[in-house]
Amino acid sequence: MMVKELKVSAIENGTVIDHIPSRNVFQVIKILNLEHFDNQLLFGTNLESKKYGTKGIIKVKNRYFEKDEINKIALAAPQASLIVIKDFKVVEKYIVEIPDDITGIVKCFNPNCVTNIEHGVVTRFKVISKDEVKLHCHYCEKNTVKSNIVFL
């Protein structure tokens, strides 16, 4: 049996986001604003994964992510791994981790929350569950579940 494989060239410098749930690949691209990125961006979805059945992957040339962006990835794809590449070598590889507190990257779903009414009030949440992502608003004390999360 002949197996066909798609070969994707290695990137010299940049970041690979691997083990993204297939259904979340486009969400990760959107929350990181990669649809407007001018360098090479490669992505795949519904790829075979021994661990998860299927997975998605995003390769971003000449781009490294800040803490807030990594927190967004963690909320959208908690089991994703980040691989930092410099000079064609993996210099860092780790699984993203949802922090205990989320500040300024997620909107409160409560329309009456002060963060949605007053200009300049930065959103703050305590993470009360990392397995089934659930956030507790510091201001209005409402809980937001993963399906209601809107990224700023």
Side-chain angles (χ1 to χ4, degrees), residues 14-115:
T15 308
V16 177
I17 309 165
D18 198 1
H19 299 106
I20 305 166
S22 290
R23 68 185 179 282
N24 295 39
V25 170
F26 293 105
Q27 180 188 31
V28 172
I29 290 170
K30 183 171 176 44
I31 63 177
L32 296 174
N33 265 335
L34 295 175
E35 68 264 40
H36 304 292
F37 188 60
D38 289 335
N39 267 318
Q40 188 179 74
L41 174 71
L42 300 165
F43 68 89
T45 186
N46 294 315
L47 305 171
E48 262 186 56
S49 168
K50 289 179 178 75
K51 201 173 188 179
Y52 301 108
T54 65
K55 69 173 184 174
I57 189 169
I58 302 170
K59 285 183 165 190
V60 191
K61 185 177 180 180
N62 296 327
R63 181 80 157 54
Y64 303 101
F65 297 103
E66 302 295 326
K67 186 179 179 188
D68 279 356
E69 294 171 311
I70 295 167
N71 288 342
K72 285 181 180 181
I73 295 167
L75 286 171
Q79 69 274 41
S81 59
L82 231 61
I83 304 159
V84 178
I85 299 169
K86 293 184 179 170
D87 296 322
F88 294 107
K89 291 184 178 70
V90 173
V91 295
E92 195 176 1
K93 182 177 180 176
Y94 59 92
I95 296 173
V96 295
E97 200 173 312
I98 298 172
D100 295 331
D101 298 291
I102 303 289
T103 303
I105 63 170
V106 173
K107 177 183 169 89
C108 183
F109 87 102
N110 176 6
N112 297 319
C113 181
V114 67
T115 60

